[in-house]
Amino acid sequence: MRRHLRNGYVILTTRGVVALYGAAMREAAKIVDSPVGVFLAPRDVFRDGPHFLREHGLRATIGAMLRQTAATYDPPLGRRRNPVNDPLREQAINYYYSYDLTKPDGVVPSRRPANEMDFALETPFAFAPKPARERPIAAIVHGFYPEIAPLVLEKLKNVTGPVDLFFSTDTQEKKRALEDVCRDWPKGRVEIRICPNRGRDIAAKFFGFRDVYADYDLFIHLHTKRSPHGGAALARWRDYLFDNLLGSPEIVNSILSLFDDPKIGVVFPQHLFELRGILNWGYDYDHARALMKRMGVEIDKNLVLEFPSGSMFWGRSAAFRPLLDLDIDFDDFPEEGGQVDGTLAHAIERSLLMIAESRGFEWLKVARRDLYPMPQTLLPVHSKEELAKHRLKVFQPCLSNVDIILRPQDRGIVEIRPLLSYPSRNVRPRLNLLIPTVNPQQIFGGVATAIKLFTEIADALGAEYDRRIVTTDADIEPEAYARLSDYTPVPYVASLDEGARLLVDTYEREGGRLDLRANDIFIATAWWTAGFAADLERDRERLFGSKLPFIYLIQDDETYFNGRSSRSALAEATYRHGERMIAIINSEELFSVMTGKYAFREAYFIPYEINRRISAALAEKPRERLLLVYGRPTVNRNAFELICDGLFRWQQRDPIRASRWRIVFLGEDFPDTLLYPVVNASVGGKASLEGYADHLSRASVGVSIMISPHPSYPPLEMAEAGLTTITNGFEGKNLQRRFDNILSLERLDPASLADAIESAVAEMEPRIGSIIARATPKTPPRDETRLFDLAAFAERLRAMRA
């Protein structure tokens, strides 16, 4: 109470009453649940509370609400919102979407950016670009209405340089009419073909001229559009498309200069505003999905639907090679019957940008300010350099998942909230660590090991590789930023992806994107981060056409952590990615168990080695009647309750000797009321490595339980420091093979633990006050060919570059 009063006075006088209230909520959370963990905003309790309550229980739910309140009112102690991520909240794109499978009329709804957040480049640009162009452009035009052809030619004259004309139509009579119109075309060759009246302009332009694309880098698709089904609302559609694509030489030069960027595959007009409300999958989704599957790309309706409505656009031939190479001909399209939707042609139109993206190309939209009624969404271009920044707003990939935190399963299992990606232009290879937290107060053995391994691999790869740390489960605190000062904090938003060492906080998911490079290598550190790595690899395959395995640092069999539940099933599934991952398994014991159960593409083990800082800080000191416990009430596998029961039974059984022994719980801060009725016990909390080493140097007996195949470092560190150490056996684990001073319990219950404590205390009593030398670890049975070799592994990664 005195400590709380003293701390409260300091907070009140330095930060005010609001901060004091937040700090009080933080302390209340510690009492009810734990000092760290997930958050639940009180305003969201009716929406998310029932799922949270079922998944975590009443205490964790109340604790989450208290932590959220503390984060809101006392940012220094726990923030809900990281200021580094302010751009996320400012730039997040909202979408119109529906999880409904179909509308009442059978139409499949789509996910579309909100009108006010659907951006396009304003043309003409505010400078005079000079596109680098040597070869002619192919103008591929479907001339179903020959009387519109003169307008088409008039617009095409705005293209500077040679333009070869390729007209299609459906009758000999129309062909003759087109020949008359094109007879004096001055800019290049003319070819007119008759095609069956199937598939409208889509079939004619792509498959009627399939052989033409190989001879041209760039093309423009046009057709003599009338849209008789659209009435007055669509009467201006054709002119709108023509004017945005070919409205002036300045507009054409602006658009063609975009293709100086080899990544741009399609440029098309922003949608006619009158159409925006009906831009959906219509009756075309099944056709589109089957079409994309033929090209090796899996889609779903929650991906963003974007396409050049009206099927007029500038394109790069290479971007559509997957479509051109399919065995599709006019017979695959239905006979003309006035269809307005639900045909293969409509499905191809909606798939065009996905096809381009599947080949690694991007797209951009353009519009004239005087032709589009939302000028605030048009981005003026004052220089070529400005395009890189504008791209981040205009290009919203169709093949990247944008589904956000709305699904019940994501609210119930908070770890699996989606981590979304955005294709990066940076070609440098990069090593990425996906880790729950880097906050010092939340770093325990597993997180520390992951950071150490990541740093060692990154150092071995050298300056040729960039590196990035991505945190998933907690806002990054100022202390963590200070400790990782050699990394640049960047927000969780799509960016130009510059910087050799980046630190990204993705805890606040909604609206964010993680830059994804073709040569990103991911290291997963827990089952849910392995799920993120697998999803990001799927994105890479769709966006870049390349496959790379991810690295999975396995530090335990995490299926044991959650009972038989959705979480345990998801955890177990991550070990079955087979060819998609390389397993690095922490310890020989765990390696034996995991490789016996699962088939990994490659698997290596990291042998036990005491932490160097702990090793350096160990000192020869007289041993005290000090019993050291690794005690973490919030981690079930550390068996906190069982340890307390064993200590209680020992003390009650041997009260005179027990009264002379002090017990210190290390590993986690928690209220000492949880120790009652164990006496002579105190909570040391999460000690520094040097403080931990000091305890190891003075203590005589150690207790550390890990109900899993992983040996856990604390019992091994205790044993190496010279303590008589009590731990437990498990599947594939017998730590007596490593140290003679370890007691490994095969039957783990309070009575057996009390017996072991009494035996260990009795053994150490005669040595109190003496110096006990460090123990030398023994090497357990292991396959030396699977020993993790840092230098060889770094070479292995270099060879995997996409």
Side-chain angles (χ1 to χ4, degrees):
M1 180 59 69
R2 284 196 299 271
R3 177 173 61 86
H4 284 318
L5 289 173
R6 182 177 62 253
N7 291 343
Y9 176 76
V10 171
I11 294 170
L12 178 64
T13 55
T14 58
R15 297 204 299 272
V17 67
V18 173
L20 178 62
Y21 173 70
M25 294 301 100
R26 178 87 164 198
E27 291 302 314
K30 291 182 183 180
I31 295 172
V32 174
D33 182 26
S34 70
V36 297
V38 295
F39 296 86
L40 176 64
R43 68 176 181 274
D44 296 334
V45 68
F46 292 108
R47 186 190 72 180
D48 298 343
H51 305 284
F52 202 100
L53 184 64
R54 286 195 297 272
E55 189 69 31
H56 298 281
L58 180 60
R59 288 181 62 175
T61 302
I62 296 174
M65 293 174 62
L66 292 171
R67 275 192 297 274
Q68 174 69 70
T69 304
T72 302
Y73 290 97
D74 187 21
L77 288 182
R79 298 159 302 130
R80 172 62 182 87
R81 299 202 161 200
N82 185 346
V84 171
N85 273 330
D86 285 346
L88 184 156
R89 294 177 286 278
E90 296 166 2
Q91 299 175 22
I93 291 183
N94 297 322
Y95 293 91
Y96 301 129
Y97 63 94
S98 171
Y99 289 128
D100 293 341
L101 303 181
T102 63
K103 295 184 177 181
D105 58 0
V107 163
V108 175
S110 64
R111 182 182 295 271
R112 294 275 310 138
N115 289 349
E116 64 275 11
M117 310 198 79
D118 189 1
F119 297 98
L121 301 176
E122 180 186 352
T123 54
F125 295 165
F127 70 107
K130 296 180 179 180
R133 200 182 123 220
E134 298 177 358
R135 302 176 61 187
I137 288 171
I140 303 176
V141 187
H142 184 52
F144 189 79
Y145 301 105
E147 62 272 25
I148 308 297
L151 175 61
V152 172
L153 299 189
E154 186 66 28
K155 293 295 184 181
L156 282 171
K157 288 178 182 177
N158 287 325
V159 181
T160 56
V163 178
D164 290 344
L165 280 178
F166 297 90
F167 261 100
S168 60
T169 192
D170 64 325
T171 68
Q172 190 67 42
E173 181 183 359
K174 292 180 182 179
K175 181 182 178 184
R176 287 193 293 270
L178 290 172
E179 287 172 343
D180 290 340
V181 173
C182 300
R183 181 167 291 113
D184 297 324
W185 176 245
K187 300 176 72 67
R189 58 181 285 218
V190 176
E191 183 174 342
I192 303 172
R193 298 181 182 180
I194 295 177
C195 299
N197 190 19
R198 288 171 175 252
R200 307 248 176 101
D201 64 295
I202 293 288
K205 290 184 298 192
F206 279 111
F207 307 112
F209 291 103
R210 192 197 306 260
D211 57 309
V212 167
Y213 292 87
D215 298 326
Y216 296 87
D217 296 327
L218 299 179
F219 65 83
I220 183 169
H221 270 193
L222 303 168
H223 58 110
T224 54
K225 187 176 186 62
R226 275 189 169 174
S227 302
H229 63 284
L234 300 187
R236 70 183 188 95
W237 193 4
R238 180 193 65 219
D239 290 340
Y240 174 84
L241 296 174
F242 282 180
D243 288 341
N244 276 307
L245 290 171
L246 295 161
S248 69
E250 292 76 17
I251 287 176
V252 173
N253 282 339
S254 296
I255 292 174
L256 288 177
S257 71
L258 297 174
F259 287 98
D260 290 346
D261 181 344
K263 293 288 288 184
I264 297 301
V266 189
V267 177
F268 63 100
Q270 177 61 285
H271 304 284
L272 182 70
F273 194 79
E274 290 85 342
L275 287 172
R276 298 194 67 87
I278 58 172
L279 294 173
N280 54 44
W281 284 105
Y283 301 102
D284 309 311
Y285 178 76
D286 283 346
H287 290 303
R289 185 175 181 223
L291 178 75
M292 294 305 299
K293 190 173 289 189
R294 290 176 65 181
M295 289 177 271
V297 179
E298 187 65 54
I299 65 171
D300 67 64
K301 65 178 273 293
N302 282 316
L303 296 175
V304 172
L305 177 64
E306 185 62 275
F307 61 99
S309 55
S311 65
M312 296 195 210
F313 58 93
W314 289 92
R316 192 184 298 274
S317 297
F320 297 98
R321 183 48 55 188
L323 177 64
L324 296 169
D325 287 345
L326 287 183
D327 183 19
I328 293 178
D329 209 340
F330 287 95
D331 290 341
D332 296 298
F333 295 86
E335 293 186 7
E336 179 57 40
Q339 302 96 330
V340 296
D341 203 1
T343 70
L344 177 59
H346 291 96
I348 290 174
E349 179 186 29
R350 282 161 173 77
S351 306
L352 290 174
L353 302 185
M354 293 182 174
I355 294 168
E357 287 183 29
S358 74
R359 286 296 295 258
F361 291 99
E362 300 173 1
W363 49 264
L364 292 170
K365 290 192 288 188
V366 295
R368 276 172 38 179
R369 186 167 293 271
D370 61 323
L371 296 178
Y372 192 68
M374 298 189 71
Q376 72 275 20
T377 65
L378 302 183
L379 308 176
V381 181
H382 297 93
S383 68
K384 200 164 188 177
E385 292 69 29
E386 198 171 27
L387 288 171
K389 183 174 63 175
H390 287 342
R391 160 187 171 264
L392 301 174
K393 285 189 172 184
V394 177
F395 174 53
Q396 298 302 318
C398 301
L399 291 184
S400 284
N401 183 25
V402 295
D403 220 354
I404 52 176
I405 318 159
L406 293 169
R407 303 174 303 175
Q409 58 267 37
D410 299 330
R411 296 198 298 267
I413 308 176
V414 293
E415 298 97 323
I416 67 171
R417 295 173 299 152
L419 192 63
L420 310 183
S421 66
Y422 189 89
S424 170
R425 291 290 194 87
N426 196 325
V427 298
R428 280 180 56 81
R430 177 169 56 190
L431 188 69
N432 300 265
L433 179 66
L434 298 171
I435 196 163
T437 183
V438 290
N439 294 325
Q441 73 272 22
Q442 296 169 321
I443 293 179
F444 297 95
V447 172
T449 299
I451 294 174
K452 176 176 178 288
L453 177 70
F454 166 75
T455 302
E456 289 175 347
I457 296 175
D459 288 345
L461 290 170
E464 179 187 355
Y465 277 70
D466 293 343
R467 61 184 78 179
R468 180 173 62 176
I469 298 175
V470 180
T471 66
T472 62
D473 287 38
D475 276 331
I476 299 177
E477 299 286 349
E479 186 179 358
Y481 282 123
R483 290 198 178 190
L484 294 167
S485 58
D486 54 337
Y487 284 80
T488 302
V490 294
Y492 173 48
V493 294
S495 74
L496 300 181
D497 196 17
E498 299 170 336
R501 296 183 179 219
L502 303 178
L503 179 57
V504 187
D505 174 356
T506 70
Y507 177 70
E508 190 177 346
R509 296 278 209 280
E510 188 167 348
R513 294 284 191 96
L514 188 69
D515 293 313
L516 178 62
R517 297 182 186 176
N519 283 297
D520 268 328
I521 296 173
F522 292 94
I523 300 179
T525 56
W527 67 263
W528 57 97
T529 62
F532 295 148
D535 288 343
L536 290 166
E537 286 302 325
R538 292 189 189 96
D539 281 356
R540 183 215 305 284
E541 185 176 353
R542 288 194 295 196
L543 293 169
F544 300 106
S546 63
K547 295 182 182 180
L548 291 175
F550 66 91
I551 301 164
Y552 194 173
L553 174 59
I554 299 175
Q555 304 200 67
D556 215 324
D557 187 343
E558 294 184 88
T559 57
Y560 288 100
F561 292 3
N562 300 286
R564 295 182 177 178
S565 64
S566 297
R567 278 189 173 84
S568 66
L570 290 170
E572 199 267 348
T574 63
Y575 304 130
R576 298 189 181 277
H577 283 296
E579 287 299 308
R580 301 185 61 196
M581 74 177 183
I582 299 172
I584 300 178
I585 303 175
N586 193 359
S587 83
E588 296 91 330
E589 290 88 351
L590 186 60
F591 179 87
S592 175
V593 170
M594 299 302 285
T595 55
K597 293 169 64 174
Y598 305 104
F600 300 115
R601 170 195 179 109
E602 299 176 37
Y604 307 94
F605 67 84
I606 301 175
Y608 161 73
E609 181 183 40
I610 193 168
N611 180 280
R612 293 172 187 172
R613 283 176 57 190
I614 295 174
S615 179
L618 288 175
E620 293 186 348
K621 295 183 179 181
R623 296 291 170 166
E624 303 173 9
R625 289 184 176 88
L626 175 60
L627 191 155
L628 206 58
V629 177
Y630 185 65
R632 296 179 63 190
T634 61
V635 181
N636 291 336
R637 60 190 179 280
N638 289 135
F640 174 80
E641 302 86 353
L642 192 156
I643 292 173
C644 289
D645 198 352
L647 288 167
F648 168 71
R649 294 186 185 211
W650 162 63
Q651 288 183 329
Q652 297 301 309
R653 179 194 302 169
D654 191 10
I656 295 175
R657 178 176 288 168
S659 67
R660 298 197 292 267
W661 281 71
R662 291 186 301 113
I663 303 169
V664 174
F665 282 73
L666 293 180
E668 186 176 282
D669 192 18
F670 59 89
D672 55 13
T673 53
L674 295 181
L675 299 177
Y676 182 82
V678 177
V679 297
N680 291 347
S682 61
V683 178
K686 189 177 183 300
S688 67
L689 293 180
E690 289 72 22
Y692 177 43
D694 178 63
H695 281 88
L696 290 175
S697 300
R698 295 182 291 109
S700 300
V701 174
V703 178
S704 180
I705 303 298
M706 175 66 91
I707 306 176
S708 80
H710 186 256
S712 177
Y713 280 3
L716 300 178
E717 293 160 348
M718 291 175 180
E720 186 164 348
L723 284 69
T724 296
T725 303
I726 300 164
T727 188
N728 62 296
F730 203 80
E731 175 189 0
K733 178 173 74 175
N734 180 1
L735 298 191
Q736 289 176 200
R737 295 178 180 178
R738 288 186 177 267
F739 290 96
D740 293 331
N741 55 331
I742 283 183
L743 304 176
S744 182
L745 304 179
E746 292 302 319
R747 188 178 75 245
L748 188 58
D749 56 30
S752 300
L753 189 55
D755 291 342
I757 294 170
E758 184 172 6
S759 174
V761 167
E763 177 187 335
M764 295 302 293
E765 271 286 355
R767 308 179 70 181
I768 298 302
S770 63
I771 303 295
I772 299 177
R774 289 173 61 168
T776 301
K778 297 180 289 186
T779 301
R782 65 192 195 185
D783 179 1
E784 294 292 340
T785 65
R786 297 290 88 196
L787 175 65
F788 178 73
D789 182 291
L790 180 61
F793 190 74
E795 285 302 315
R796 173 78 180 87
L797 295 186
R798 290 190 185 97
M800 290 195 320
R801 286 179 58 171

